Amino acid sequence: MSKKKGNPWQKAVAVILSAVLCTGLISGAAPVQAKAEERSSAASGASVEPLEDKGEQDQKQEITPIVHTPAELEADATYAVPIPRELEAEVLAGTTVEGIPGLNLSDYTLTASYDPDTQICTVSFALTDPGKDRYVLGTAAKTTAKCKVRFRVAKKEITPVISIPESMEFDASKGVVTEQNIKAELLKKVSVSGIDLLEKSDYLVDAVYDIKKGSCTVSFMLSSEGGEKYVLGENARTTAECRIIIRRTLADAVVTKIEKEAGAPDLKIVTGLPALTDAVLSAAEKEAAQTGTELSLVFRIRDIGNTLSSTDKAALGQGVKDYQVGQYLDISLFKVTGEKRSPVTKTAGKIRLTLTIPERLTGNKKNISREFALARVHEGKISVLQDLDTDSATVTADTDCFSVYAIVYKDAAGTGSTGDSEKSNKTDTKKKDTGKDGGETAGDDPASYSSGGEDAPDTGDQTPLEFYATIAMISGFTYVLLLFKKGSHGMSEEKKKELVSQIIRWACKGGQIRRILAYAAIVLLLVYYHSIGRKAKVDWEELTSK
């Protein structure tokens, strides 16, 4: 079979169709390969986004967002626990982001997720596609923050009321009362109403003792466990106060004091405290002192000799004619309660006082026996209170009135044979054996018994005046005889001293009569020596020298 040659136009069309077909096959293979590569990359987790040009990435602005959320969110769960979406919205409402001043709301998103198991809500920051085109996150960016969610549950309201005794008494005479004793005994008597629902671990009851106020305060409070479940109502009474009375003995409750001013004698209260409080205090005052009131009895003594009027002195002197007044005194009594000082002029019973007699009033001269007493002037009436003790240095008396007093005395003659008077006389004689002239004076000084001044005592010396007059007359006649005696050799200073010493030694060996005779002899000797004896001696020496 012979082969038939084709038309040239047909050949040209065939070539064109073949070329078009080849081009289509080649261009169609590229998309298919690209799709296959995309599916393969998606399956392996790689990003399918096209890579950006390095130059474009460098042109983006770097930002450093920092997310802040509330540290804790309190959610009201009184009636129902809020759903997570509500919690997330509330957390987002309190979230702020720093470091994004140029961003629009379309450039980023904030999302929150709540985990009910941990009760934590997490907030996250992310750029949107428009934001990614213009911004890139810096390395210091903090794009997440967490918030703790706490649910507020309604607490039950309670109204506690504390009840305790108004007062409690403790007897200090049975032992020492301590703060621990007081608190322990008071807490036993405390009752609290309105807490029936509470457990023992839900509340605390304690007491505080104030020794200055003399009271104990009891307090009720919820513990940490009770505070989680309960709340106190408006009418709750969580504190109460109890008066604490510590009963003391009168010896511990009442203080006795003595206020002595300058010039006044020493004062001693002889009456015991029980009798003293019975005389001065009422039953109510003793009860108050024993149950805590500070109370003291103050005795004040002062010399009023310079302030007492002459009229009062004259009236007092007329009332005690048998006595001489030694010292005027004011003896007062006061009750002191706190800052209040009240005078007591009359007591319900007698109080025994002892006063020390001033030395200037004691009569230790010769054989004087001096009797002391207390004169009292009260409401115009003068009374003499006799001395109740045997001590010559003190005067003791019972009194129930406190006003103007005076120490008074009177003297009586003693026997002079034995006792303290005799010893006193001997002591006085020895003390006066020597004087300014080296022993010229001896015996008692008569001037010490001269009556001069208001306080000068009577001596009570009963020696007959005729005896002294006789001695004086003998001395006078002897002086006259010596004055006209011729040829006398006189007396030297040494001879005078020797004779005086001999007379003194002779007088010390005897009694009162010998001392009187020695006294007269010494006076006669001194008169002779200072008048003519010394001059005669000088004349004789001049005569013999010629």
Side-chain angles (χ1 to χ4, degrees), residues 317-370:
Q318 290 294 324
V320 289
K321 292 182 178 180
D322 296 338
Y323 293 88
Q324 295 189 51
V325 177
Q327 186 176 17
Y328 297 98
L329 301 170
D330 173 76
I331 303 177
S332 302
L333 171 61
F334 300 92
K335 284 188 295 189
V336 181
T337 306
E339 299 296 329
K340 184 179 180 181
R341 185 179 176 112
S342 305
V344 178
T345 58
K346 180 76 174 177
T347 59
K350 299 284 187 179
I351 298 175
R352 180 162 294 187
L353 310 175
T354 295
L355 281 73
T356 301
I357 300 172
E359 290 186 5
R360 65 182 180 83
L361 299 180
T362 56
N364 293 328
K365 303 297 183 180
K366 290 191 176 181
N367 59 341
I368 297 173
S369 176
R370 180 161 288 180

Side-chain angles (χ1 to χ4, degrees), residues 250-328:
L250 282 175
D252 296 328
V254 180
V255 179
T256 303
K257 300 178 182 179
I258 296 177
E259 295 178 352
K260 173 191 169 185
E261 296 188 5
D266 292 335
L267 174 66
K268 179 182 178 182
I269 311 302
V270 181
T271 303
L273 188 60
L276 182 62
T277 54
D278 289 341
V280 180
L281 302 178
S282 64
E285 288 172 331
K286 287 191 284 187
E287 175 69 15
Q290 287 184 283
T291 55
T293 301
E294 296 296 329
L295 193 149
S296 58
L297 301 178
V298 179
F299 292 84
R300 184 187 68 185
I301 182 169
R302 56 195 182 100
D303 186 341
I304 57 172
N306 295 329
T307 58
L308 191 64
S309 66
S310 57
T311 302
D312 292 336
K313 289 181 180 180
L316 185 59
Q318 290 294 324
V320 289
K321 292 182 178 180
D322 296 338
Y323 293 88
Q324 295 189 51
V325 177
Q327 186 176 17
Y328 297 98

Side-chain angles (χ1 to χ4, degrees), residues 57 69 80 85 118 194 202 305 315-316 423 435-436 516:
Q57 187 174 358
T69 61
R85 185 171 62 254
T118 60
D202 291 334
L316 185 59
K423 294 179 181 179
K436 293 181 180 179
I516 293 174

